[in-house]
Amino acid sequence: MDYKQKIEDLLTLYFIMGSQNGQGNPEYVLQQAIEGGITLFQFREKGEGALQGDEKRRLGERLKQICKDAGVPFIVNDDIELAMQLDADGVHVGQEDEKAAVTRKQIGNKILGVSTHTLEEAHQAIADGADYLGLGPIFPTESKDDIRKVHGLDLIQAFRRHDIQTPIVGIGGIMSANASDVIQAGGDGVSVISAIAGAEDAKQATVQLKQAVRKEQLED
Ligand code: 3NM
């Protein structure tokens, strides 16, 4: 399998969480999500109530260890220093974060994901060395305050029409009922916070999401 295919595979079900998401113990929720079949995890300690400094690092260490034991790659959101300290598998940056080109230089060949909202941003991210593009919000979400306009699925389709072949993951308001739409539009996978972190049964929610995505991937 080549590297691009490997990234596409990892994006299948990309779970994002910090201690501020959901009610449950983050370590337990991550364990449940792993048992349910997530393919990639992002530690995103951001927003109201997010941990800082040592507390953030210690939680990151524990979540990284859980991922490592399970063989699930561990990505850090927007904190290159922490990603290097934890020897994370990758970093995800948004347009308001450290520039993608600078991030790429600092992280070497770790996985680099970049959030993009326009074709111009996508082309720049690819030139800067992005391994995948995060695209959202696809549907309305309450998990992030500073979101852009809801793009629906048309932006994924537009990226593909304009021949962007870099792996794409959709984000924002994705649940098992609408996950297949993201794949149909040309996404390689879905990333979710609340569909798993906010579920009563995180493992069961993960299983359902995974089934929805895999079914659509097979039909593509
Ligand atoms: N980024 P949920 S939307 C972290 O549009 C994040 O770039 C977004 O949470 C973007 O799965 C979002 O609960 C929140 O909707 C996604």
Side-chain angles (χ1 to χ4, degrees):
M1 199 190 286
D2 68 16
Y3 188 68
K4 178 170 165 252
Q5 256 181 320
K6 186 185 146 196
I7 299 288
E8 286 168 356
D9 241 43
L10 289 179
L11 295 179
T12 297
L13 182 49
Y14 187 178
F15 178 41
I16 301 176
M17 182 182 59
S19 65
Q20 73 283 354
N21 301 125
Q23 309 293 323
N25 170 310
E27 287 149 275
Y28 178 72
V29 175
L30 178 57
Q31 289 277 15
Q32 291 287 298
I34 287 172
E35 283 180 30
I38 61 165
T39 48
L40 190 60
F41 175 69
Q42 181 188 122
F43 179 46
R44 181 175 179 276
E45 194 62 32
K46 229 177 197 177
E48 215 183 302
L51 302 175
Q52 313 274 344
D54 276 356
E55 276 189 322
K56 177 179 173 185
R57 182 181 46 76
R58 280 198 294 272
L59 176 60
E61 275 169 2
R62 296 197 299 271
L63 298 179
K64 161 84 204 293
Q65 191 61 45
I66 292 170
C67 283
K68 195 172 172 206
D69 291 345
V72 171
F74 177 89
I75 308 290
V76 173
N77 181 288
D78 181 28
D79 189 335
I80 301 169
E81 198 185 324
L82 181 66
M84 300 312 283
Q85 273 178 3
L86 299 181
D87 192 23
D89 299 287
V91 174
H92 186 97
V93 291
Q95 294 295 321
E96 289 80 23
D97 304 334
E98 185 59 91
K99 291 255 176 298
V102 176
T103 308
R104 169 52 82 209
K105 274 215 182 79
Q106 294 184 350
I107 68 172
N109 61 5
K110 291 182 189 296
I111 298 170
L112 174 60
V114 182
S115 295
T116 59
H117 313 86
T118 62
L119 272 171
E120 199 186 346
E121 287 175 1
H123 286 303
Q124 187 62 53
I126 295 164
D128 289 344
D131 293 307
Y132 73 86
L133 306 176
L135 224 153
I138 303 289
F139 304 111
T141 175
E142 290 182 6
S143 303
K144 190 173 193 260
D145 297 331
D146 57 335
I147 51 164
R148 311 282 182 101
K149 191 169 137 264
V150 171
H151 298 295
L153 301 160
D154 47 338
L155 199 60
I156 300 184
Q157 287 164 342
F159 276 30
R160 292 308 191 203
R161 261 201 319 277
H162 285 84
D163 209 27
I164 288 182
Q165 292 176 12
T166 304
I168 292 176
V169 68
I171 184 162
I174 299 172
M175 307 279 163
S176 59
N178 59 20
S180 62
D181 297 346
V182 179
I183 309 303
Q184 236 172 45
D188 295 293
V190 300
S191 45
V192 305
I193 297 177
S194 53
I196 295 177
E200 251 177 57
D201 183 337
K203 182 173 166 183
Q204 177 64 12
T206 307
V207 168
Q208 281 172 357
L209 273 160
K210 182 89 173 272
Q211 274 171 355
V213 175
R214 279 274 188 249
K215 184 164 175 279
E216 196 59 42
Q217 283 174 335
L218 291 172
E219 281 175 15
D220 261 11

